[in-house]
Short mmCIF file of all heavy atoms in Angstrom, two decimals:
data_model
loop_
_atom_site.label_atom_id
_atom_site.label_comp_id
_atom_site.label_asym_id
_atom_site.label_seq_id
_atom_site.Cartn_x
_atom_site.Cartn_y
_atom_site.Cartn_z
N ASN I 1199 50.17 -74.61 -58.44
CA ASN I 1199 49.79 -75.02 -57.09
C ASN I 1199 49.68 -73.89 -56.07
O ASN I 1199 50.32 -73.91 -55.01
CB ASN I 1199 50.76 -76.08 -56.56
CG ASN I 1199 50.71 -77.38 -57.33
OD1 ASN I 1199 49.83 -77.56 -58.18
ND2 ASN I 1199 51.62 -78.28 -57.07
N PRO I 1200 48.86 -72.87 -56.37
CA PRO I 1200 48.73 -71.77 -55.41
C PRO I 1200 48.02 -72.23 -54.13
O PRO I 1200 47.23 -73.17 -54.13
CB PRO I 1200 47.85 -70.76 -56.16
CG PRO I 1200 47.05 -71.59 -57.10
CD PRO I 1200 47.96 -72.70 -57.54
N ASP I 1201 48.33 -71.56 -53.02
CA ASP I 1201 47.63 -71.80 -51.77
C ASP I 1201 46.38 -70.90 -51.75
O ASP I 1201 46.51 -69.68 -51.79
CB ASP I 1201 48.53 -71.48 -50.56
CG ASP I 1201 49.69 -72.45 -50.44
OD1 ASP I 1201 49.48 -73.66 -50.67
OD2 ASP I 1201 50.81 -71.99 -50.12
N LEU I 1202 45.23 -71.52 -51.67
CA LEU I 1202 43.97 -70.77 -51.71
C LEU I 1202 43.15 -71.10 -50.49
O LEU I 1202 42.91 -72.27 -50.17
CB LEU I 1202 43.17 -71.13 -52.97
CG LEU I 1202 43.85 -70.81 -54.31
CD1 LEU I 1202 43.03 -71.40 -55.45
CD2 LEU I 1202 44.01 -69.30 -54.49
N THR I 1203 42.68 -70.08 -49.79
CA THR I 1203 41.82 -70.29 -48.63
C THR I 1203 40.39 -70.54 -49.09
O THR I 1203 40.03 -70.26 -50.26
CB THR I 1203 41.83 -69.08 -47.70
OG1 THR I 1203 41.24 -67.95 -48.37
CG2 THR I 1203 43.26 -68.72 -47.28
N THR I 1204 39.57 -71.03 -48.20
CA THR I 1204 38.14 -71.23 -48.51
C THR I 1204 37.50 -69.95 -48.98
O THR I 1204 36.77 -69.91 -49.98
CB THR I 1204 37.42 -71.74 -47.25
OG1 THR I 1204 37.95 -73.01 -46.89
CG2 THR I 1204 35.92 -71.86 -47.48
N ARG I 1205 37.81 -68.85 -48.32
CA ARG I 1205 37.21 -67.56 -48.68
C ARG I 1205 37.68 -67.06 -50.02
O ARG I 1205 36.95 -66.36 -50.73
CB ARG I 1205 37.53 -66.55 -47.58
CG ARG I 1205 36.70 -65.27 -47.62
CD ARG I 1205 37.00 -64.37 -46.42
NE ARG I 1205 36.65 -65.02 -45.18
CZ ARG I 1205 35.44 -65.01 -44.63
NH1 ARG I 1205 34.46 -64.39 -45.23
NH2 ARG I 1205 35.21 -65.62 -43.47
N GLN I 1206 38.91 -67.41 -50.41
CA GLN I 1206 39.44 -66.95 -51.69
C GLN I 1206 38.82 -67.68 -52.88
O GLN I 1206 38.82 -67.15 -53.99
CB GLN I 1206 40.96 -67.14 -51.73
CG GLN I 1206 41.74 -66.16 -50.87
CD GLN I 1206 43.23 -66.46 -50.87
OE1 GLN I 1206 43.66 -67.62 -50.72
NE2 GLN I 1206 44.05 -65.45 -51.06
N LYS I 1207 38.28 -68.88 -52.65
CA LYS I 1207 37.81 -69.70 -53.77
C LYS I 1207 36.36 -69.46 -54.17
O LYS I 1207 36.00 -69.64 -55.33
CB LYS I 1207 38.01 -71.19 -53.44
CG LYS I 1207 39.47 -71.61 -53.42
CD LYS I 1207 39.61 -73.13 -53.33
CE LYS I 1207 39.15 -73.68 -52.00
NZ LYS I 1207 39.36 -75.15 -51.91
N HIS I 1208 35.52 -69.09 -53.21
CA HIS I 1208 34.08 -68.96 -53.50
C HIS I 1208 33.47 -67.77 -52.76
O HIS I 1208 33.94 -67.38 -51.69
CB HIS I 1208 33.30 -70.20 -53.05
CG HIS I 1208 33.65 -71.45 -53.76
ND1 HIS I 1208 34.62 -72.31 -53.31
CD2 HIS I 1208 33.14 -71.99 -54.90
CE1 HIS I 1208 34.71 -73.33 -54.15
NE2 HIS I 1208 33.83 -73.18 -55.11
N THR I 1209 32.41 -67.25 -53.36
CA THR I 1209 31.51 -66.36 -52.62
C THR I 1209 30.14 -67.01 -52.59
O THR I 1209 29.84 -67.93 -53.37
CB THR I 1209 31.40 -64.98 -53.31
OG1 THR I 1209 30.89 -65.15 -54.64
CG2 THR I 1209 32.76 -64.31 -53.37
N ARG I 1210 29.29 -66.57 -51.67
CA ARG I 1210 27.93 -67.09 -51.58
C ARG I 1210 26.94 -65.93 -51.65
O ARG I 1210 27.13 -64.89 -51.00
CB ARG I 1210 27.74 -67.88 -50.28
CG ARG I 1210 28.63 -69.12 -50.20
CD ARG I 1210 28.15 -70.09 -49.15
NE ARG I 1210 29.00 -71.25 -49.01
CZ ARG I 1210 28.94 -72.33 -49.77
NH1 ARG I 1210 28.05 -72.38 -50.75
NH2 ARG I 1210 29.75 -73.37 -49.57
N GLU I 1211 25.90 -66.13 -52.44
CA GLU I 1211 24.88 -65.09 -52.62
C GLU I 1211 23.52 -65.68 -52.29
O GLU I 1211 23.12 -66.72 -52.84
CB GLU I 1211 24.91 -64.56 -54.07
CG GLU I 1211 24.10 -63.30 -54.25
CD GLU I 1211 24.40 -62.61 -55.57
OE1 GLU I 1211 25.03 -63.22 -56.45
OE2 GLU I 1211 23.99 -61.43 -55.72
N CYS I 1212 22.80 -65.03 -51.38
CA CYS I 1212 21.53 -65.55 -50.86
C CYS I 1212 20.38 -64.62 -51.24
O CYS I 1212 20.49 -63.39 -51.04
CB CYS I 1212 21.59 -65.70 -49.35
SG CYS I 1212 23.06 -66.55 -48.74
N PHE I 1213 19.31 -65.20 -51.72
CA PHE I 1213 18.09 -64.44 -52.02
C PHE I 1213 17.00 -64.98 -51.10
O PHE I 1213 16.60 -66.14 -51.20
CB PHE I 1213 17.72 -64.61 -53.50
CG PHE I 1213 18.71 -63.97 -54.42
CD1 PHE I 1213 19.85 -64.67 -54.83
CD2 PHE I 1213 18.55 -62.66 -54.85
CE1 PHE I 1213 20.78 -64.08 -55.67
CE2 PHE I 1213 19.47 -62.06 -55.69
CZ PHE I 1213 20.61 -62.76 -56.11
N VAL I 1214 16.53 -64.12 -50.20
CA VAL I 1214 15.70 -64.57 -49.08
C VAL I 1214 14.38 -63.82 -49.06
O VAL I 1214 14.33 -62.59 -49.18
CB VAL I 1214 16.44 -64.34 -47.75
CG1 VAL I 1214 15.60 -64.84 -46.58
CG2 VAL I 1214 17.81 -65.03 -47.76
N VAL I 1215 13.30 -64.59 -48.88
CA VAL I 1215 11.96 -64.03 -48.68
C VAL I 1215 11.63 -64.16 -47.20
O VAL I 1215 11.67 -65.26 -46.64
CB VAL I 1215 10.90 -64.75 -49.52
CG1 VAL I 1215 9.53 -64.14 -49.30
CG2 VAL I 1215 11.28 -64.73 -50.99
N LEU I 1216 11.31 -63.03 -46.57
CA LEU I 1216 11.01 -63.02 -45.14
C LEU I 1216 9.52 -63.13 -44.89
O LEU I 1216 8.70 -62.69 -45.70
CB LEU I 1216 11.52 -61.73 -44.51
CG LEU I 1216 13.03 -61.50 -44.52
CD1 LEU I 1216 13.35 -60.08 -44.02
CD2 LEU I 1216 13.75 -62.54 -43.66
N LYS I 1217 9.17 -63.72 -43.74
CA LYS I 1217 7.78 -63.71 -43.32
C LYS I 1217 7.34 -62.33 -42.91
O LYS I 1217 6.18 -61.95 -43.05
CB LYS I 1217 7.60 -64.69 -42.15
CG LYS I 1217 7.82 -66.14 -42.53
CD LYS I 1217 7.66 -67.06 -41.33
CE LYS I 1217 7.88 -68.51 -41.74
NZ LYS I 1217 7.79 -69.44 -40.57
N ASP I 1218 8.32 -61.56 -42.39
CA ASP I 1218 8.05 -60.20 -41.95
C ASP I 1218 9.38 -59.45 -41.97
O ASP I 1218 10.42 -60.02 -41.62
CB ASP I 1218 7.47 -60.20 -40.53
CG ASP I 1218 7.07 -58.80 -40.07
OD1 ASP I 1218 7.98 -58.07 -39.63
OD2 ASP I 1218 5.88 -58.48 -40.17
N GLU I 1219 9.37 -58.18 -42.37
CA GLU I 1219 10.60 -57.40 -42.50
C GLU I 1219 11.34 -57.26 -41.17
O GLU I 1219 12.56 -57.03 -41.15
CB GLU I 1219 10.29 -56.02 -43.06
CG GLU I 1219 9.89 -56.05 -44.54
CD GLU I 1219 9.70 -54.65 -45.09
OE1 GLU I 1219 9.99 -53.66 -44.37
OE2 GLU I 1219 9.25 -54.54 -46.25
N SER I 1220 10.64 -57.41 -40.07
CA SER I 1220 11.28 -57.25 -38.76
C SER I 1220 12.33 -58.33 -38.50
O SER I 1220 13.17 -58.17 -37.62
CB SER I 1220 10.21 -57.30 -37.66
OG SER I 1220 9.58 -58.56 -37.63
N TYR I 1221 12.31 -59.42 -39.27
CA TYR I 1221 13.28 -60.50 -39.09
C TYR I 1221 14.61 -60.23 -39.80
O TYR I 1221 15.56 -60.99 -39.63
CB TYR I 1221 12.72 -61.82 -39.63
CG TYR I 1221 11.63 -62.45 -38.80
CD1 TYR I 1221 10.30 -62.35 -39.16
CD2 TYR I 1221 11.94 -63.18 -37.67
CE1 TYR I 1221 9.29 -62.93 -38.41
CE2 TYR I 1221 10.94 -63.79 -36.90
CZ TYR I 1221 9.62 -63.67 -37.29
OH TYR I 1221 8.64 -64.25 -36.56
N ALA I 1222 14.67 -59.20 -40.62
CA ALA I 1222 15.79 -59.02 -41.53
C ALA I 1222 17.18 -59.06 -40.86
O ALA I 1222 18.06 -59.83 -41.26
CB ALA I 1222 15.61 -57.71 -42.32
N GLU I 1223 17.37 -58.24 -39.86
CA GLU I 1223 18.69 -58.15 -39.22
C GLU I 1223 19.08 -59.49 -38.60
O GLU I 1223 20.23 -59.95 -38.74
CB GLU I 1223 18.69 -57.04 -38.17
CG GLU I 1223 20.06 -56.82 -37.53
CD GLU I 1223 20.04 -55.66 -36.54
OE1 GLU I 1223 19.04 -54.89 -36.53
OE2 GLU I 1223 21.02 -55.51 -35.79
N LYS I 1224 18.15 -60.11 -37.90
CA LYS I 1224 18.42 -61.38 -37.23
C LYS I 1224 18.74 -62.49 -38.24
O LYS I 1224 19.66 -63.28 -38.05
CB LYS I 1224 17.22 -61.78 -36.39
CG LYS I 1224 17.40 -63.07 -35.60
CD LYS I 1224 16.15 -63.39 -34.80
CE LYS I 1224 16.30 -64.72 -34.06
NZ LYS I 1224 15.06 -65.04 -33.27
N VAL I 1225 17.96 -62.54 -39.33
CA VAL I 1225 18.17 -63.57 -40.35
C VAL I 1225 19.51 -63.39 -41.04
O VAL I 1225 20.26 -64.38 -41.22
CB VAL I 1225 17.03 -63.54 -41.38
CG1 VAL I 1225 17.38 -64.37 -42.60
CG2 VAL I 1225 15.74 -64.04 -40.75
N GLU I 1226 19.87 -62.18 -41.39
CA GLU I 1226 21.15 -61.95 -42.07
C GLU I 1226 22.31 -62.37 -41.16
O GLU I 1226 23.29 -62.99 -41.61
CB GLU I 1226 21.28 -60.49 -42.47
CG GLU I 1226 22.60 -60.21 -43.22
CD GLU I 1226 22.61 -58.84 -43.87
OE1 GLU I 1226 21.64 -58.06 -43.71
OE2 GLU I 1226 23.61 -58.54 -44.56
#
């Protein structure tokens, strides 16, 4: 019965196609 936080249990990996590279920083 360990105590596990949400962050400790999963990671999320996103593969994203942009309409234009200029959106990259804002989208991330």
Side-chain angles (χ1 to χ4, degrees):
N1199 294 352
D1201 292 320
L1202 299 172
T1203 66
T1204 296
R1205 194 174 297 274
Q1206 287 176 315
K1207 290 190 291 183
H1208 296 91
T1209 60
R1210 296 197 182 277
E1211 192 166 14
C1212 311
F1213 293 86
V1214 182
V1215 180
L1216 295 172
K1217 293 179 179 178
D1218 185 279
E1219 289 184 6
S1220 64
Y1221 287 102
E1223 184 176 348
K1224 181 180 178 181
V1225 167
E1226 182 168 3

